[in-house]
């Protein structure tokens, strides 16, 4: 099995290995902070405060869904990391196959639920009437493109599980720049409004996911699947679901308080929503940076233990 591109965290100095792995994750999420701020600036400057409020009034719903997706696919990464640490090539291939199949099924179910409930979600969130149409346009397009988000996070978590945290960083930077470019293109010349900002997000994530997959297939032969890798997957699928769902709930549960807060702010009117949106972007992304970094480090430290349990230190072993 070709492993030349993998980072083995089971050997060498633990601190240096973790630091080398964590820095690209931290830098990626810090960079994403700036691109998200730029995204808000573009909408606010080109479309006005009402459009900024429309985007902000539903952003926590989208953030909630994205956090669950990241945790869910991060759980798949834990399973892959375990097989990688155990040097179980067959198990790795089955993990990749199950991750792909479950991600497709999850995408279909989640997209249908979110899109069918879009109008009801707007009522639950007490969106002001004067921005409800724009809020619906933005949220519906982003949720319609849930597949691109699942695809992007699945590939990124697979690469990180195999020890490559740099490639996701490079394509996160690429996605961020591409998103800003598409924002300006769709909003200014094409006059697509807030829906243009939503399409910019979806397209940039999808293109980054495709490029990440191409690089991953080149660097990791283990990602090249065969027909036999899709047989006898029941136990593997159960394990992935048992790992993915708790991770998804863990990542998204912290958004519940923010959902309640956003609903209260929405009830205060459009001006309050616009101000809250502009002020809360940096804080929200700072939380996300911590969550994602801790999630990826957990994914990697679980890699060496095929049983799914971290080994306790030997009491007789000197520190």
């Amino acid at each position: 099995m070709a492993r030349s591109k993998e980072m083995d965290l089971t050997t060498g100095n633990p601190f240096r290995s973790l630091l080398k792995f964590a820095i690209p994750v931290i830098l990626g999420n810090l960079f994403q902070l700036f691109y998200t701020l730029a995204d808000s600036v573009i909408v606010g400057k080109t479309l006005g405060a009402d459009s900024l409020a429309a985007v902000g009034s539903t952003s926590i719903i989208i953030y909630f869904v994205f956090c669950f997706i990241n945790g869910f696919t991060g759980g798949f990464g834990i399973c892959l990391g375990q097989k990688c640490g155990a040097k179980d090539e067959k198990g790795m291939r089955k993990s990749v196959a199950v991750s792909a199949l479950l991600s497709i099924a999850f995408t279909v179910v989640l997209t249908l639920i979110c899109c069918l409930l879009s109008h009801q979600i707007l009522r639950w969130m007490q969106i002001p009437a004067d921005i409800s149409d724009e809020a619906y346009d933005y949220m519906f397009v982003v949720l319609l493109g849930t597949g691109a988000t699942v695809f992007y996070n699945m590939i990124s978590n697979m690469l990180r599980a195999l020890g490559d945290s740099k490639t996701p960083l490079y394509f996160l930077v690429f996605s961020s720049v591409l998103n800003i470019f598409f924002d300006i293109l769709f909003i200014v010349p094409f006059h697509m409004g807030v829906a243009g900002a939503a399409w910019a997000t979806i397209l940039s994530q999808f293109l980054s996911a495709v490029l990440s997959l191409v690089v991953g297939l080149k660097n990791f032969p283990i990602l090249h699947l065969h027909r036999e890798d899709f047989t006898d997957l029941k136990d593997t699928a159960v394990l992935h679901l048992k790992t993915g769902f708790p991770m998804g709930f863990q990542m998204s549960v912290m958004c519940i308080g923010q959902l309640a807060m956003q609903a209260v702010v929405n009830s205060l009117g459009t001006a309050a929503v616009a101000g809250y949106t502009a002020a809360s972007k940096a804080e929200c992304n700072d939380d996300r940076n911590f969550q994602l970094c801790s999630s990826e480090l957990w994914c990697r430290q679980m890699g060496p233990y095929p049983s799914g349990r971290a080994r306790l230190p030997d009491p007789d072993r000197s520190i």
Side-chain angles (χ1 to χ4, degrees), residues 102-157:
L102 289 180
S103 293
I104 294 172
F106 177 70
T107 296
V108 174
V109 174
L110 186 63
T111 302
L112 286 175
I113 292 175
C114 290
C115 290
L116 291 175
L117 292 178
S118 291
H119 285 294
Q120 184 60 50
I121 290 172
L122 294 182
R123 287 191 287 270
W124 286 337
M125 293 301 296
Q126 304 182 60
I127 306 295
D130 56 333
I131 61 171
S132 61
D133 288 342
E134 283 190 306
Y136 175 82
D137 291 342
Y138 181 79
M139 185 179 70
F140 184 83
V141 171
V142 173
L143 296 179
L144 185 65
T146 298
T149 306
V150 174
F151 184 24
Y152 177 79
N153 281 276
M154 181 191 71
I155 296 300
S156 296
N157 282 310

Side-chain angles (χ1 to χ4, degrees), residues 80-100:
L80 178 59
Q82 290 172 3
K83 299 301 182 182
C84 179
K87 298 178 175 61
D88 180 2
E89 181 176 355
K90 182 178 179 181
M92 290 171 67
R93 291 186 182 278
K94 286 188 176 295
S95 178
V96 173
V98 164
S99 297

